[in-house]
Amino acid sequence: MKKCALRFLSALLLIAPLVGVAQEPPGVGEALRNLTSETGFLNDGEGPPMQLNSITFENYKFHEPAFYIPENMHALVASFNAAGWKHLVDQNVSPREATMPQKPLTDLWLHFTGPDIDSVMVLIRGVRQMNVIKVSGQLRPLDLVHLSGHFGIPKVDPNAVMVPAPPGR
């Protein structure tokens, strides 16, 4: 899980312009954007590149196998729903597997401003650890299609219409 999160961070940092980084030497942002032959990775070179504001990682490690309290998970989902977030990825597992996972379970929430995504939160619940990844910035929904199949994000058919889970899920 940790390697997956680090790859996600590395990919975002390589493809996103570094805007407003304190004490960055002049020309570093442009040099990083031009470091590889890959340009416009997330937006296929069309329009402005993704604007990344921040990425936050929270890693929790447990001495014993974790028991995820169902009522608290429902409260978390309800909090996101009440704030206008969309629960895009929901692990459809048995109640027992949801409370005591044998393999990592990934949940993904998105917050939209108009047609663009302004925040993403990924929750990865494992046997002895839990990871929370928060990304703040301006993304287009199509940008996530490019990341699908990687970093715990399920593969999305680029020709499919993405429909968020119904309210309350």
Side-chain angles (χ1 to χ4, degrees):
M1 273 189 277
K2 199 177 266 190
K3 286 182 186 178
C4 197
L6 288 175
R7 281 190 232 140
F8 179 72
L9 173 62
S10 298
L12 284 176
L13 289 178
L14 287 175
I15 56 183
L18 298 175
V19 180
V21 176
Q23 301 175 358
E24 179 180 284
V28 168
E30 183 177 345
L32 287 172
R33 285 189 296 277
N34 296 322
L35 191 58
T36 70
S37 61
E38 295 294 319
T39 57
F41 177 74
L42 281 183
N43 63 3
D44 294 329
E46 297 176 12
M50 177 182 72
Q51 295 177 352
L52 182 65
N53 296 329
S54 68
I55 299 177
T56 306
F57 291 91
E58 296 176 26
N59 299 304
Y60 302 89
K61 294 190 183 231
F62 312 116
H63 293 289
E64 301 294 326
F67 178 82
Y68 295 94
I69 302 166
E71 295 82 10
N72 292 353
M73 186 64 189
H74 292 300
L76 177 66
V77 171
S79 294
F80 275 107
N81 285 340
W85 289 65
K86 303 298 179 195
H87 195 189
L88 189 65
V89 176
D90 182 6
Q91 301 289 314
N92 293 315
V93 296
S94 70
R96 179 183 169 125
E97 181 67 16
T99 58
M100 298 178 67
Q102 297 304 305
K103 61 180 178 128
L105 300 177
T106 303
D107 288 275
L108 173 70
W109 286 273
L110 304 175
H111 189 267
F112 291 85
T113 300
D116 293 331
I117 300 164
D118 61 13
S119 294
V120 176
M121 188 179 123
V122 180
L123 172 64
I124 304 168
R125 296 175 284 147
V127 176
R128 291 185 184 262
Q129 70 182 39
M130 180 175 74
N131 299 302
V132 179
I133 304 166
K134 300 173 189 174
V135 179
S136 173
Q138 293 298 314
L139 291 159
R140 297 176 306 146
L142 183 60
D143 296 336
L144 288 182
V145 172
H146 292 288
L147 294 175
S148 71
H150 306 285
F151 319 115
I153 300 172
K155 183 72 176 154
V156 175
D157 178 357
N159 298 317
V161 176
M162 293 179 14
V163 179
R169 288 253 2 222

